[in-house]
Each structure stands twice: as structure tokens, then as C-alpha cells.
Amino acid sequence: MRIKIIQSLFTVMILSSCIKDFYGHPNDKDRILTESNYVYTDDLKSAHLQTIVTQLNIELKQTDPDKEKEKFDLLNDELEETQSTLSDLAEFRKSVFKRRPPLPPCPNPQSCIKWLGVQYLTQRAGLAKLQMIIYDENQNIIAQTEGNLEQLTGLEVPLDYVVLIFKNPEYRGAIQIKVIETMGKVETAFSVASEIK
């Protein structure tokens, strides 16, 4: 009887570890962030907003404030709002990362993240849901988040994470990253382009 119980426990352990491997979850049971195994989504949002700032500045230069005053004012308002959001994101980032977890050493997340090493997507606490979908050049999904947000412990400022799973780790080339944030019943999404080298 005792041998059967031990065999049953051993079988359950093997099955649960196989299930974990099947879903491709990271081996890191402590969810320790390193400089290369996670992406902070506000960095991607900042890259997205920086693109918008560039586009708005181009449009403003091409708009005559005397002849198209209403359009010029709207563009100016949008530019100010976008720059204000960028400042807020930068300030919050400083408060989150002044000690731990380590900052990815990356001034531009679109160009220098080593995507295949990324296991986690992190974000400030408070979202109901956080998703990332990474598409290849042909709009096939090569990676996406799985599971629910969980809180990282040991930080001064609360930070949540969700696991990112690569379905096609062999892919190299241009990628499109879509991030979807859900706060209450409101869902917002943004996209940025990058590359897996």
C-alpha cells in the first residue's frame, strides 16, 4: 500500500512537471528578474508614444496656424498630452526601478531587447489583465502571454508580471508587438515594431 502511494505521488509529480514544460513556463520558480528576462510594458508604451510625438511634430510643421487654426490647436493639444504622458511614465519608472528589479540596459526597447530571452512581461500593479502578442512578418503569432497577472514581491513599488511563451523560438526577422491592457472594463492597446536577430 505504501509503495502504491509513493508511486502515485511520483506519477503526479511527473505529470505536473510535464504539463509545466508543455506550456513552456519558465524554470525560474522564484520569478527572479534579471537584466534580460523581462520587458517592462511602459517602456514599450513610451516607444509607441515617442513615435506619435514624431508624427505630430511633422504634422505641426506642415500645418499653417493662420489658415488651419483649429487643426493646429488640436495637434498642439495632442502633442502636449502625449508628452505629459511620457513624462508621467518616466517618473513612475524611476520610482519602480531605483533599486530592484534591475533595469534592462536598453535605451530603446524596440531595437535592443533580446526577445528570445524574455520570459516575463511586467507592469505596475492595478491592471485587471495584461496581454502581449508577438507576430512575425506574415502576421503569424510567434509568442504570447499566458496566465493571469501575479504580483512580484520584495519591491518598494508594486509590480505585476505575466509569463510570455514563445511558440516559434526559431523565428528571426521583423516582428510586430501588440500590448493589450485591461483596467476594469476598459481595454487599451498599442503596437510597436521590433526585430528578433
Side-chain angles (χ1 to χ4, degrees):
M1 181 69 178
R2 188 174 171 192
I3 291 173
K4 285 186 179 180
I5 291 171
I6 291 171
Q7 283 177 330
S8 297
L9 287 171
F10 187 68
T11 304
V12 168
M13 283 172 51
I14 288 173
L15 281 173
S16 64
S17 77
C18 288
I19 289 167
K20 182 180 172 187
D21 291 340
F22 175 78
Y23 285 112
H25 287 280
N27 306 332
D28 177 17
K29 62 178 178 157
D30 298 322
R31 302 296 188 253
I32 295 169
L33 301 184
T34 67
E35 288 184 345
S36 60
N37 74 348
Y38 76 101
V39 173
Y40 178 55
T41 55
D42 275 355
D43 287 347
L44 296 173
K45 189 182 290 180
S46 294
H48 167 74
L49 292 174
Q50 206 61 59
T51 304
I52 292 173
V53 165
T54 303
Q55 290 169 346
L56 288 169
N57 279 320
I58 291 168
E59 283 188 64
L60 277 167
K61 283 179 185 173
Q62 296 170 346
T63 305
D64 187 334
D66 297 324
K67 295 178 181 175
E68 303 171 277
K69 183 172 177 10
E70 190 177 334
K71 181 181 177 183
F72 188 82
D73 289 345
L74 284 171
L75 288 169
N76 251 329
D77 290 346
E78 190 177 346
L79 180 62
E80 283 178 23
E81 188 179 322
T82 306
Q83 287 174 327
S84 174
T85 303
L86 275 166
S87 294
D88 292 346
L89 292 175
E91 282 305 308
F92 189 81
R93 187 184 207 273
K94 283 180 195 171
S95 66
V96 170
F97 292 103
K98 61 184 169 187
R99 290 195 181 171
R100 289 278 178 225
L103 276 172
C106 180
N108 181 354
Q110 289 167 279
S111 62
C112 62
I113 290 175
K114 292 182 174 73
W115 285 102
L116 294 176
V118 174
Q119 297 177 314
Y120 309 109
L121 188 62
T122 63
Q123 180 54 291
R124 64 180 79 187
L127 290 176
K129 193 172 183 183
L130 178 63
Q131 296 172 274
M132 177 187 279
I133 305 167
I134 301 178
Y135 300 92
D136 66 13
E137 292 174 302
N138 300 315
Q139 293 299 299
N140 298 311
I141 295 174
I142 59 168
Q144 66 185 60
T145 50
E146 290 186 7
N148 298 317
L149 282 166
E150 295 184 43
Q151 193 170 66
L152 285 163
T153 55
L155 301 173
E156 288 184 18
V157 177
L159 204 63
D160 288 342
Y161 76 90
V162 65
V163 174
L164 180 68
I165 306 298
F166 274 84
K167 299 176 184 308
N168 182 3
E170 290 79 34
Y171 178 79
R172 301 292 180 276
I175 57 173
Q176 190 69 28
I177 303 140
K178 183 177 183 182
V179 178
I180 306 157
E181 299 176 340
T182 307
M183 175 82 77
K185 293 184 179 180
V186 179
E187 189 175 279
T188 57
F190 62 89
S191 296
V192 291
S194 189
E195 184 180 3
I196 297 178
K197 297 177 180 176

